[in-house]
Amino acid sequence: DNRQQTTDNRQQTTDNRQQTTHNTQQSTHNIHIQHNTTTLRWDAAWPKGGTKRLGILGQELAKGPCAWNNRQNPQIYEVFSRLLGTERLMSPPDRYGVMRPTRDVRFTVEDEHDQEKQTAQYVFRDMPAWKTSENWFHWDLNPWGFMEGNYPDNEEVEEGEKKCDSDGGGNGEKCGDLPPGKLQLRHQLELMDIGASRQDEENKITRWTDPFLRPGSFMTEHNITNRFEGFEKVQGLVALCDCPENTGGFMTVPGCHQYMTHWVRQNRVSSQQGFVSCPKHEPMLQHAQKITARKGSLIVWSSRMVHCNFPNDGPDFRYCQYIKMWPIDAWKDGERVWEARKQAVLASLPADFAVSELGDKLFGITKW
């Protein structure tokens, strides 16, 4: 009888665990938000900065086992390898993207008289304040440096073209003669410019060894690299849920990377920045398209393509993981910087995480 009771208890424990797992999975798509604690739990406590405004989860890397397995996924690697034309790739860690629902959001109303919580009451509310920013199109590279570093013919200035650098002048035109949109772009870049590409080796090592600076180093790795030795610079995301148009998501101007040669000639600015915003009234943005995706889909785009997230306008969350890979032949730093980066990767891996033979090379632990 005691043995049978023990067996029954174990079975009950297993059933409880399965029920807990089921509830957790279900809550991912059908979250019960307490109506009377909305501001505390879902606004003030929601991660600030990029998460609220842009739909990118804070300044922390996606560091769980699932995220690292995606980075060493052979199928994802195969896509990047074919697009870039080389097997010798590296995959730096990046972040998750999360957007809250903004329409018909279901809130649970607690009934203080129903102590056993046998019933639940719900209200549905629109939450426009939860929407992320619109029209923040940008490049995760420096268009002038990248295009001129990889396409030398851009050094030529077309006849009659206005050229402006940080000091004004160029071909004799002053920056003040530029249209307002271009002038605004120059001022923005001038203020943001931190001379990132001028870092010496010691500064680069510090960025990998300092735990506070490390996440940003991974996120922006190669944003300021001007020469990719003939390779395309690409980046991507994996949809972790179905992403129809009303959940918000990825937006770009298809084919605009083929227009970049002309664009950098017409918008010459002196800057070292690796994140550049596109002027809001840029004509090519009229051709922007929203890109939907099914759960498990991989979207990859050229970093020369201007892009952004567009806001959620529906009842469901939007989840994705940002993934990028770049050719190891684009690495220009020395052995000391490589070793510092390697130690930064090892410090970021989850405990007991099984790095595959492919992941060992993609993460930069072992060289190709």
Side-chain angles (χ1 to χ4, degrees):
D1 291 343
N2 289 338
R3 288 176 181 173
Q4 182 62 44
Q5 184 63 41
T6 301
T7 301
D8 291 342
N9 290 341
R10 288 175 178 170
Q11 183 61 46
Q12 183 63 42
T13 300
T14 301
D15 292 342
N16 290 340
R17 287 175 179 170
Q18 291 174 344
Q19 182 63 38
T20 299
T21 301
H22 174 74
N23 290 341
T24 301
Q25 292 171 342
Q26 189 175 29
S27 67
T28 302
H29 302 284
N30 196 12
I31 293 179
H32 291 234
I33 305 174
Q34 300 299 328
H35 177 66
N36 58 353
T37 55
T38 301
T39 301
L40 174 62
R41 296 183 183 176
W42 288 92
D43 194 18
W46 190 254
K48 297 178 175 58
T51 313
K52 278 189 175 182
R53 296 183 296 104
L54 311 177
I56 301 175
L57 193 56
Q59 295 300 315
E60 286 298 318
L61 302 173
K63 295 187 290 189
C66 178
W68 283 97
N69 273 322
N70 285 340
R71 294 181 188 116
Q72 64 180 10
N73 182 293
Q75 291 175 292
I76 293 177
Y77 163 74
E78 181 71 16
V79 172
F80 279 94
S81 178
R82 292 197 178 200
L83 288 174
L84 292 170
T86 178
E87 297 179 350
R88 294 160 48 85
L89 301 178
M90 292 186 72
S91 180
D94 210 318
R95 294 172 287 183
Y96 285 122
V98 181
M99 289 186 187
R100 291 178 288 184
T102 60
R103 289 189 180 273
D104 296 325
V105 183
R106 189 177 78 170
F107 295 89
T108 303
V109 179
E110 294 181 342
D111 186 350
E112 59 185 19
H113 301 294
D114 187 5
Q115 300 297 329
E116 307 222 348
K117 302 188 183 300
Q118 297 296 322
T119 61
Q121 297 180 356
Y122 306 105
V123 294
F124 294 84
R125 294 173 54 192
D126 290 345
M127 300 297 294
W130 289 2
K131 285 192 176 184
T132 53
S133 301
E134 295 187 73
N135 192 5
W136 55 286
F137 287 95
H138 65 279
W139 292 274
D140 293 307
L141 51 67
N142 185 292
W144 302 275
F146 186 83
M147 294 302 293
E148 296 188 351
N150 291 276
Y151 303 90
D153 65 311
N154 286 320
E155 295 293 345
E156 301 176 4
V157 179
E158 296 177 351
E159 184 178 356
E161 175 186 334
K162 289 185 178 181
K163 180 177 179 181
C164 172
D165 56 28
S166 59
D167 297 320
N171 62 351
E173 298 289 348
K174 296 296 183 182
C175 291
D177 296 328
L178 291 175
K182 296 182 182 179
L183 186 60
Q184 178 187 16
L185 177 65
R186 185 186 71 83
H187 287 165
Q188 172 210 24
L189 292 169
E190 195 172 58
L191 290 172
M192 292 175 60
D193 195 343
I194 57 173
S197 66
R198 302 189 183 100
Q199 295 174 354
D200 58 24
E201 185 175 67
E202 292 302 324
N203 286 338
K204 291 179 179 180
I205 291 174
T206 298
R207 288 187 62 83
W208 292 120
T209 56
D210 188 324
F212 180 76
L213 299 175
R214 188 180 299 150
S217 299
F218 282 122
M219 294 173 203
T220 61
E221 191 170 17
H222 275 291
N223 279 18
I224 59 173
T225 298
N226 291 345
R227 296 188 181 275
F228 255 56
E229 302 298 334
F231 291 103
E232 183 65 85
K233 183 176 185 292
V234 298
Q235 55 198 103
L237 63 85
V238 174
L240 302 181
C241 65
D242 286 338
C243 299
E245 187 172 320
N246 68 353
T247 64
F250 178 69
M251 191 173 187
T252 188
V253 179
C256 69
H257 60 300
Q258 301 178 45
Y259 172 71
M260 286 307 296
T261 297
H262 179 73
W263 193 90
V264 297
R265 285 173 173 172
Q266 296 298 320
N267 297 271
R268 286 188 178 274
V269 175
S270 176
S271 172
Q272 301 293 333
Q273 278 298 301
F275 178 96
V276 175
S277 295
C278 182
K280 293 186 181 297
H281 301 294
E282 166 61 44
M284 69 175 168
L285 299 183
Q286 300 175 31
H287 305 287
Q289 294 184 21
K290 298 174 179 177
I291 310 300
T292 59
R294 293 186 182 276
K295 179 180 179 180
S297 298
L298 172 67
I299 301 174
V300 181
W301 64 94
S302 166
S303 295
R304 290 185 288 150
M305 295 173 64
V306 65
H307 60 279
C308 69
N309 286 330
F310 63 94
N312 182 298
D313 193 37
D316 299 313
F317 277 76
R318 183 250 186 172
Y319 308 99
C320 74
Q321 179 184 342
Y322 294 101
I323 290 183
K324 55 189 175 185
M325 295 189 187
W326 45 266
I328 186 60
D329 294 315
W331 179 271
K332 301 302 178 186
D333 294 316
E335 287 296 322
R336 293 180 64 222
V337 179
W338 177 280
E339 183 61 27
R341 185 192 184 278
K342 170 184 172 180
Q343 295 304 319
V345 170
L346 294 173
S348 302
L349 288 168
D352 302 322
F353 178 75
V355 178
S356 67
E357 182 178 352
L358 175 61
D360 202 49
K361 295 177 180 178
L362 288 176
F363 302 157
I365 300 172
T366 299
K367 290 189 176 182
W368 286 89

